[in-house]
Amino acid sequence: MKKGKMILASVYLMVLSSCGGNSSDTMFGDIPSAYEEKMINWVKDMQQLNTDDKKSEALALLADFTKEMEELQKEMEVRAEKMKGQTIEYTIEEGLPYQLVSDIQVDEVELPKLGVIGGRDSGMRLKVKFSVVLAEVSEEASLRLYYLLTGDEGNVGYGTFSISQKVTVGDTLHLEKMIYAPDVPAQYQESCRSLAFVSEEVFESERKVIREKQKEWTDARKKELGLKKE
């Protein structure tokens, strides 16, 4: 029963950050929407329970949903495999202390985990490889690469890559990093086409705007599902 509750909670969280869209040639492909259809149908079924034995009905629906999601996971693994080796477009702001000197290539695709409640590991992730050359070295112990996830809907997410090893000017670093799908509805996840590497100042400014948009999208999603009162 405890496991069932964990799946139930994680599904609701994923539904709130999943909504429509279909764009198989973007950064995260059309995988988010594939999960969305199953999850929305299940939530609606749960909301329509109107019997005296709701607990029993809910457990039956949960069992069916879990089986469907296991089947979907297998189908999505095939799609994820096809995404390996693809390259991600990027832009880079002038004046940053590094330059990219290779493509950003997708090495692994990790699918959403229903057993994880919230957090970055509950969403889709891309393990990528790329190389940078350092133009200058900070006095700080680590170098941080700031980026925005951008595309058809503008900037919808953000992240950082940290480099903690000792470096000198001119060093070429071969990096393996993880890009996390932003915690936004699927239509925005699927709009992501590129990374925009920016300064810390631009990053902090844009992050505030993105967070405000994410809250609006989440509130709208809750209202649509009847989880938020007027």
Side-chain angles (χ1 to χ4, degrees):
M1 183 64 184
K2 183 177 180 181
K3 181 179 179 182
K5 289 182 179 179
M6 290 180 63
I7 295 175
L8 176 63
S10 62
V11 168
Y12 270 107
L13 287 171
M14 291 179 71
V15 167
L16 293 179
S17 61
S18 178
C19 171
N22 182 20
S23 185
S24 60
D25 61 345
T26 54
M27 191 181 302
F28 299 103
D30 56 5
I31 290 177
S33 288
Y35 283 88
E36 178 264 339
E37 181 180 0
K38 295 285 187 184
M39 292 186 292
I40 294 298
N41 288 339
W42 180 78
V43 169
K44 289 181 178 179
D45 287 342
M46 290 290 289
Q47 291 174 331
Q48 292 174 0
L49 289 180
N50 192 27
T51 65
D52 294 333
D53 191 7
K54 289 186 177 181
K55 182 178 179 180
S56 177
E57 291 279 350
L59 289 175
L61 285 174
L62 179 58
D64 290 341
F65 172 78
T66 301
K67 182 177 179 180
E68 289 181 7
M69 292 304 292
E70 289 174 352
E71 295 174 352
L72 178 64
Q73 195 82 354
K74 293 178 182 179
E75 181 183 343
M76 293 302 102
E77 286 172 357
V78 175
R79 295 191 193 183
E81 189 68 27
K82 293 179 180 179
M83 293 173 65
K84 293 181 181 180
Q86 294 182 356
T87 57
I88 297 174
E89 297 178 2
Y90 67 87
T91 59
I92 184 166
E93 182 180 321
E94 292 185 6
L96 296 182
Y98 59 89
Q99 287 293 323
L100 272 73
V101 292
S102 75
D103 290 333
I104 301 176
Q105 188 174 63
V106 177
D107 186 51
E108 296 287 342
V109 178
E110 297 192 20
L111 298 172
K113 294 182 179 180
L114 285 178
V116 179
I117 302 178
R120 296 192 300 176
D121 289 342
S122 65
M124 187 175 174
R125 291 147 289 161
L126 305 177
K127 180 181 178 183
V128 297
K129 293 181 177 181
F130 61 101
S131 300
V132 300
V133 170
L134 299 182
E136 58 183 83
V137 179
S138 171
E139 294 181 357
E140 299 179 0
S142 63
L143 173 67
R144 196 176 295 273
L145 281 58
Y146 300 91
Y147 66 87
L148 306 173
L149 289 155
T150 187
D152 301 336
E153 300 285 349
N155 298 328
V156 299
Y158 53 84
T160 63
F161 299 134
S162 294
I163 302 173
S164 57
Q165 67 194 77
K166 186 176 181 180
V167 294
T168 59
V169 173
D171 283 354
T172 299
L173 305 178
H174 304 290
L175 306 177
E176 294 185 5
K177 298 294 181 179
M178 194 74 77
I179 298 174
Y180 295 85
D183 187 18
V184 295
Q187 68 184 78
Y188 300 103
Q189 290 185 28
E190 295 182 357
S191 76
C192 294
R193 294 186 179 276
S194 65
L195 300 181
F197 290 92
V198 298
S199 64
E200 182 178 2
E201 293 73 21
V202 171
F203 176 85
E204 293 295 342
S205 176
E206 286 296 321
R207 181 168 63 171
K208 292 179 181 179
V209 175
I210 292 170
R211 282 177 171 175
E212 290 176 357
K213 291 192 293 186
Q214 289 177 343
K215 185 179 185 305
E216 290 177 3
W217 295 332
T218 299
D219 287 347
R221 194 59 175 155
K222 288 180 179 179
K223 182 178 179 181
E224 180 184 343
L225 293 173
L227 301 175
K228 183 179 177 64
K229 295 182 179 179
E230 296 287 351

